[in-house]
Amino acid sequence: MEKIFEDLANCELEMEKADKEVEIYRIKKTKPVYEKRRELFLGLPNLWYIVLAQHEDFQEYIQNEDTKYLEFITEIYVNWMDQKDSGENVAEDPRCYSITFQFKSPNGEIEEQKVTKYFKHIVDPETGEETLVSEKVDVKWPTEFDDINPTLIKLKAKENEGKMSNDEKKKYRTGMKSFFAFFDWTGKKPGKEYRNGEELATLIAEDIYPFATKYYTEAMASMDDEDDDESSDELDLSGEEEVED
């Protein structure tokens, strides 16, 4: 019996290894396809705004005030097996990835910038649980959000012996719910940072980005249907009798 259980454990390890090799193969085969799609996306104005604004799950992770700034996201792309500062001897890990956001606005609503955030899975040595973690990355918030920007609020608090007023605490909590607070998320400070970092990163990497074409075409079709409905609701006077004098 002991030998059988040992062999079964080895089978599980072999299956895990095979699954990993298959996933690495899939990532490498689809990479050039995603690159081609990325170039095509650049020819579709407001693609990412339409995809994100129409995605109900994504809307759960941002504030209403964030929505108008989604219009200035000109590009999103995910690079799987992308490890920050990875050297030649780093093993390929299909669970590691980066998400890049390109912001550009015609009238300076937000500073033009390209922001890349890296993600990887770690295992807690005590519990054995696997979690997604990241590192803070610099992002320029819209100046309109200066009063809720957690970084600016903390800097102001330092000038006041580290104390925040009740109003500043309220604004700080509001800022920590903003989409822009996602870029500071690490996954290592539960309750003290953006709350839904792992869920949002996973949603983008495993759903929004891979199926962006589907979400875009569905949204455009829905918009066309709404336009048709509005047109059909217009009053048709072509068959009305003429009013007698």
Side-chain angles (χ1 to χ4, degrees):
M1 290 290 289
E2 183 178 348
K3 180 65 168 61
I4 292 176
F5 282 120
E6 182 179 338
D7 289 344
L8 285 173
N10 288 332
C11 285
E12 290 300 312
L13 292 175
E14 290 178 13
M15 285 296 296
E16 290 179 7
K17 181 180 178 182
D19 287 342
K20 181 178 179 180
E21 291 174 350
V22 169
E23 185 63 13
I24 290 174
Y25 176 80
R26 184 192 68 80
I27 290 171
K28 290 182 176 180
K29 288 292 290 185
T30 57
K31 185 177 178 63
V33 182
Y34 277 116
E35 288 296 328
K36 179 180 179 180
R37 190 190 72 166
R38 179 182 167 190
E39 293 296 321
L40 293 172
F41 276 177
L42 293 176
L44 298 174
N46 296 323
L47 177 140
W48 289 109
Y49 172 71
I50 292 171
V51 170
L52 298 177
Q54 297 291 326
H55 199 289
E56 294 182 0
D57 290 342
F58 179 81
Q59 294 300 314
E60 294 181 4
Y61 300 125
I62 67 173
Q63 298 279 72
N64 290 334
E65 293 77 6
D66 294 327
T67 304
K68 68 178 181 180
Y69 290 100
L70 302 180
E71 182 179 354
F72 307 123
I73 298 178
T74 58
E75 192 173 13
I76 297 175
Y77 55 92
V78 176
N79 277 331
W80 286 276
M81 294 197 303
D82 190 10
Q83 302 180 58
K84 186 177 182 181
D85 301 326
S86 59
E88 295 181 358
N89 297 324
V90 176
E92 292 178 320
D93 186 350
R95 299 171 302 170
C96 293
Y97 58 89
S98 67
I99 305 177
T100 297
F101 300 82
Q102 178 79 47
F103 294 90
K104 187 176 182 180
S105 60
N107 300 311
E109 292 88 349
I110 185 171
E111 186 171 324
E112 183 174 344
Q113 57 190 312
K114 182 167 74 171
V115 186
T116 300
K117 191 166 177 62
Y118 295 85
F119 303 87
K120 65 180 179 180
H121 287 85
I122 62 171
V123 177
D124 187 317
E126 296 182 0
T127 65
E129 294 182 358
E130 187 175 275
T131 58
L132 187 71
V133 296
S134 185
E135 297 179 5
K136 289 184 178 182
V137 59
D138 290 334
V139 64
K140 300 295 188 298
W141 287 53
T143 54
E144 182 183 354
F145 288 174
D146 281 355
D147 63 334
I148 64 168
N149 185 327
T151 300
L152 297 182
I153 294 174
K154 285 193 292 186
L155 287 174
K156 185 178 179 181
K158 284 184 179 180
E159 298 174 359
N160 190 29
E161 299 180 353
K163 298 178 181 178
M164 293 185 194
S165 66
N166 290 334
D167 184 54
E168 287 173 332
K169 289 178 181 178
K170 182 178 179 180
K171 290 179 178 179
Y172 183 88
R173 287 192 291 268
T174 299
M176 291 302 288
K177 296 176 183 178
S178 169
F179 167 67
F180 293 94
F182 166 69
F183 294 95
D184 277 348
W185 177 81
T186 66
K188 303 170 186 176
K189 301 177 181 179
K192 296 184 178 180
E193 56 184 1
Y194 179 82
R195 293 182 180 179
N196 302 302
E198 181 169 359
E199 292 86 351
L200 181 53
T202 302
L203 180 68
I204 294 172
E206 297 183 4
D207 181 35
I208 293 176
Y209 182 73
F211 301 108
T213 301
K214 178 178 78 74
Y215 288 127
Y216 176 76
T217 52
E218 288 178 351
M220 294 301 291
S222 177
M223 292 177 187
D224 289 341
D225 289 341
E226 290 176 3
D227 290 341
D228 291 341
D229 290 340
E230 290 177 3
S231 298
S232 64
D233 289 339
E234 293 179 1
L235 183 61
D236 184 3
L237 300 177
S238 59
E240 290 291 320
E241 296 181 0
E242 294 183 1
V243 178
E244 296 181 358
D245 295 334

